[in-house]
Amino acid sequence: MNASWFLDRVVVTDMSRPHLRFYFACNNWLSREEADNLFVRDLLGSLNQMDVPKLNKYIVSVFTPDMKGSGTDADVFLNIFGESGDTGERRLDSDKDNFERGSEDKFTIESPNLGRLRKITIGHNNRGSSAGWFLDKVTIDDIGNKEVYEFPVNRWFAMDEDDGKIQRDVLVGKLQPSGIVYNVQVMTGDVRGAGTNSKIHMVMHGAKGLKNSGKVFLEGGAFERRLIDIFNVEICELISPLSRVTIGHDNGAVGAGWYCEKVVIYCPFTGIEQTFPCGMWLDEDEGDGLIERELYEMVSLRQRKQKKYPWSLWIWTSDVKGAGTDAQVFLQIYGEKGKSDETKLENNSDSFEQGRLDKFMVEMPDVGRLLKVRIWHEKRHPFAGWHLGRVRPNSVENSRVWGRSGMFLFFF
């Protein structure tokens, strides 16, 4: 069966005033194989059936730096967010071999005018023999509004580098967005064949549907029968409490069908935990054949817990001989209202190397005005010695720079 469709136009009639008709011209393919491969399109309306409203053009430039292993063979996707909405997820593809080491790749995206741009969501699907990617920056030339926006990134998009993320939210002109971390639990049902090997994605929608997370890929989950997979999803927006959740998969594996029992989402920043029941198949061969569903909260199950706040921790290891450490590092923050829990600092790369900056995102309760930072490591490792340059804790609520050490943390 061929799913491709050439859509001419859509006409919407106001049934209370039948003479009032809105015309939405398309004149394009909705297809994964034809034209620009888009199968979802935004259409602009007009009261004049002869009028074809023009879409705005955005010229997207993607810069991959000239460093070892920086290029990627994976498919790269982008969503642009503005004051008036977003473009939806678009695959960045052209006739050339894109996203190679030391390259600049340009793409044209057409969509309704988004107003002033706020952020982008960019990432890849981790496919191909060399999926890991280091992205320098993205610039967007808004042709209709004659504005140019820069989105600095300077991070890895790789499951075995940095923090393991292959998708990031990036704010205009900001290298390190203050991310809001959502704890997501996805439960697969207890029915025969419930598990899946497909790639699962999710979109979280804020109140009244005005803001959303963009498509988030839930990497590393098993999605096996009766199992609960847990993820920490970081986005730029505070959209809790959520109005609904969209969850689905790419139908791209043998045994792609999946029975989703429910999704539970907790936002430490608001202390709200919400449950979104599903109890249905996401399978082309089961039930109604849908592989993506809208889930709505069962409000009676909503819980309120202790609020926690996101902090970014920047830690500099001194650039002196032997400064790095292979030991496990811990940190605790003290404030006027108390202290945080002891936090183990972990990411997917080799941290705390000589002359290096390491970045972490952690969640902590409100400790009030900062008083001091306690940082230490396990002394059991044979190469535990560490020369710490400085520490910078930065909260979403209060931006402060703290900490300078210049001392060895060395144990005998």
Side-chain angles (χ1 to χ4, degrees):
M1 181 178 178
N2 184 10
S4 299
W5 177 33
F6 191 94
L7 174 61
D8 181 31
R9 60 180 173 171
V10 176
V11 181
V12 178
T13 302
D14 185 343
M15 298 308 294
S16 62
R17 294 172 292 174
H19 64 282
L20 191 58
R21 292 187 174 185
F22 299 89
Y23 298 88
F24 298 84
C26 180
N27 194 37
N28 213 329
W29 284 99
L30 282 77
S31 169
R32 293 181 185 270
E33 292 83 30
E34 303 286 348
D36 55 9
N37 305 123
L38 292 179
F39 58 94
V40 177
R41 296 188 182 276
D42 293 316
L43 307 180
L44 296 177
S46 173
L47 291 171
N48 182 357
Q49 62 178 321
M50 303 304 296
D51 185 23
V52 181
K54 291 185 177 180
L55 297 171
N56 194 22
K57 285 188 177 181
Y58 298 91
I59 308 299
V60 178
S61 300
V62 181
F63 296 83
T64 303
D66 186 10
M67 56 183 283
K68 184 178 179 180
S70 60
T72 184
D73 296 327
D75 298 320
V76 174
F77 298 87
L78 174 74
N79 193 357
I80 306 172
F81 293 80
E83 295 173 322
S84 305
D86 65 278
T87 60
E89 185 181 88
R90 305 290 183 96
R91 181 184 174 194
L92 300 181
D93 193 21
S94 66
D95 295 333
K96 59 178 281 193
D97 194 5
N98 299 307
F99 315 116
E100 294 296 304
R101 173 177 173 174
S103 67
E104 175 188 352
D105 298 289
K106 287 183 177 289
F107 309 91
T108 300
I109 290 178
E110 293 187 346
S111 85
N113 198 315
L114 303 175
R116 290 197 61 82
L117 302 188
R118 298 186 293 109
K119 71 165 186 174
I120 60 171
T121 299
I122 189 166
H124 63 74
N125 60 5
N126 204 43
R127 290 180 178 169
S129 58
S130 302
W133 181 38
F134 194 97
L135 173 59
D136 180 18
K137 65 178 180 180
V138 176
T139 63
I140 299 178
D141 188 355
D142 181 346
I143 302 299
N145 297 311
K146 299 181 180 179
E147 293 276 356
V148 178
Y149 300 86
E150 182 169 313
F151 300 84
V153 184
N154 195 36
R155 298 288 295 271
W156 279 102
F157 291 67
M159 297 186 73
D160 57 354
E161 295 281 357
D162 200 345
D163 56 5
K165 295 183 183 297
I166 60 172
Q167 177 177 298
R168 299 185 188 277
D169 283 1
V170 186
L171 299 176
V172 174
K174 290 191 177 181
L175 193 62
Q176 176 74 10
S178 299
I180 306 295
V181 178
Y182 296 79
N183 304 133
V184 178
Q185 298 181 44
V186 180
M187 183 175 182
T188 299
D190 186 13
V191 297
R192 184 178 179 182
T196 184
N197 293 318
S198 292
K199 193 178 185 69
I200 304 296
H201 63 259
M202 178 184 71
V203 181
M204 298 183 291
H205 302 268
K208 300 180 181 178
L210 298 178
K211 294 182 179 180
N212 67 73
S213 65
K215 185 181 288 187
V216 176
F217 293 101
L218 302 179
E219 297 290 342
F223 302 108
E224 295 292 335
R225 178 177 176 177
R226 289 190 300 179
L227 286 186
I228 297 176
D229 292 287
I230 300 174
F231 309 89
N232 287 324
V233 175
E234 180 186 342
I235 65 172
C236 291
E237 301 282 0
L238 177 60
I239 54 177
S240 175
L242 307 176
S243 61
R244 69 184 193 280
V245 170
T246 304
I247 194 160
H249 61 77
D250 64 353
N251 206 41
V254 177
W258 177 45
Y259 191 94
C260 176
E261 188 64 41
K262 64 180 178 179
V263 177
V264 179
I265 300 177
Y266 167 57
C267 176
F269 195 87
T270 61
I272 296 175
E273 181 181 274
Q274 297 176 266
T275 299
F276 299 85
C278 179
M280 297 183 73
W281 284 99
L282 286 77
D283 189 342
E284 287 189 337
D285 301 321
E286 297 281 354
D288 54 12
L290 295 179
I291 61 171
E292 184 175 86
R293 295 190 182 278
E294 301 280 332
L295 308 183
Y296 292 88
E297 180 188 11
M298 183 173 286
V299 180
S300 62
L301 297 180
R302 180 180 292 193
Q303 296 185 37
R304 292 189 177 272
K305 301 181 177 181
Q306 182 189 30
K307 292 183 181 181
K308 291 187 177 181
Y309 301 92
W311 289 68
S312 64
L313 299 174
W314 291 20
I315 299 178
W316 284 263
T317 299
S318 303
D319 192 11
V320 299
K321 185 178 180 180
T325 183
D326 293 327
Q328 179 63 64
V329 174
F330 299 84
L331 178 136
Q332 193 169 24
I333 291 181
Y334 292 75
E336 291 180 335
K337 297 181 181 179
K339 62 183 179 181
S340 70
D341 295 332
E342 296 181 359
T343 301
K344 182 189 292 187
L345 300 179
E346 294 181 301
N347 60 28
N348 288 1
S349 60
D350 194 5
S351 305
F352 311 117
E353 294 295 305
Q354 178 181 327
R356 174 171 171 168
L357 166 64
D358 293 289
K359 301 175 182 179
F360 305 88
M361 290 295 299
V362 299
E363 297 166 4
M364 293 184 291
D366 181 15
V367 297
R369 191 175 70 87
L370 294 185
L371 298 177
K372 69 175 183 178
V373 171
R374 178 173 175 249
I375 189 167
W376 71 98
H377 63 65
E378 292 179 330
K379 60 184 179 182
R380 294 190 295 269
H381 200 281
F383 300 100
W386 183 31
H387 195 283
L388 172 63
R390 59 190 172 114
V391 179
R392 191 178 88 171
N394 181 53
S395 77
V396 172
E397 295 282 283
N398 302 294
S399 296
R400 297 189 180 95
V401 177
W402 290 79
R404 187 175 295 275
S405 174
M407 299 175 61
F408 272 102
L409 300 184
F410 197 97
F411 298 86
F412 297 92

